[in-house]
Amino acid sequence: MPQVVTRLRLAVAVATVAIILVGCGALPSAPEPSRACAAGFEAFERDTLYFGRAIPAGGQVSDAQWTAFLDTVVTPAFPKGLTVIDAAGQWRGASGSVVREPSKLVVLLHPRSSKDDAAIAGIIGTYRQRFGQEAVLQERQSVCVRF
């Protein structure tokens, strides 16, 4: 009798896995960005970078320091344009404490490319190193744009 129960459990497990795999195969694949855009629009990526201005060791990234970072690091990487938004953010850091801080959001619209991906990684790395930041949040969405 125990062998029958074991075989029955095995059969149910195999059937469950088969059903799950068949269900996954039925899911629609993500559309190609270029096909998803209406006529007259181009497929782009929108990366929003969230830069906290509180310095963990004390103090805050000043307006002059932020402007210098923007002018020497961000703008050369995306010279065609970007948007900067002032914000008030909060997040729970590695210490477990909630950090509330003034923030800057940088919105970048660009065609998807490994060059731009590397530029964004460089921007994030430079900010983290220069201002002792634990993290810079990056949010990415595929969008359709028209200029």
Side-chain angles (χ1 to χ4, degrees):
M1 189 70 151
Q3 287 181 333
V4 172
V5 172
T6 302
R7 287 183 184 165
L8 183 56
R9 286 183 182 160
L10 179 61
V12 169
V14 168
T16 302
V17 170
I19 290 169
I20 290 170
L21 292 175
V22 167
C24 288
L27 294 174
S29 59
E32 289 291 321
S34 60
R35 292 183 192 161
C37 293
F41 286 85
E42 294 179 65
F44 268 52
E45 297 294 323
R46 179 178 61 218
D47 282 285
T48 305
L49 307 179
Y50 296 73
F51 296 95
R53 294 181 66 187
I55 298 173
Q60 177 175 300
V61 177
S62 70
D63 289 341
Q65 289 171 313
W66 169 258
T67 299
F69 173 76
L70 188 66
D71 290 347
T72 62
V73 178
V74 183
T75 301
F78 290 90
K80 289 185 178 182
L82 53 94
T83 300
V84 177
I85 303 167
D86 287 316
Q90 74 176 44
W91 68 296
R92 186 175 310 276
S95 69
S97 298
V98 173
V99 177
R100 289 180 178 87
E101 61 188 325
S103 303
K104 294 285 190 178
L105 278 61
V106 174
V107 181
L108 305 166
L109 289 167
H110 58 92
R112 183 73 187 264
S113 73
S114 57
K115 177 182 171 250
D116 287 341
D117 288 348
I120 291 168
I123 291 167
I124 291 169
T126 300
Y127 191 82
R128 288 182 66 193
Q129 180 183 27
R130 186 174 294 179
F131 301 111
Q133 298 293 303
E134 187 176 325
V136 171
L137 174 65
Q138 176 184 0
E139 173 190 12
R140 173 171 283 173
Q141 293 181 345
S142 295
V143 296
C144 298
V145 300
R146 175 171 45 197
F147 295 99

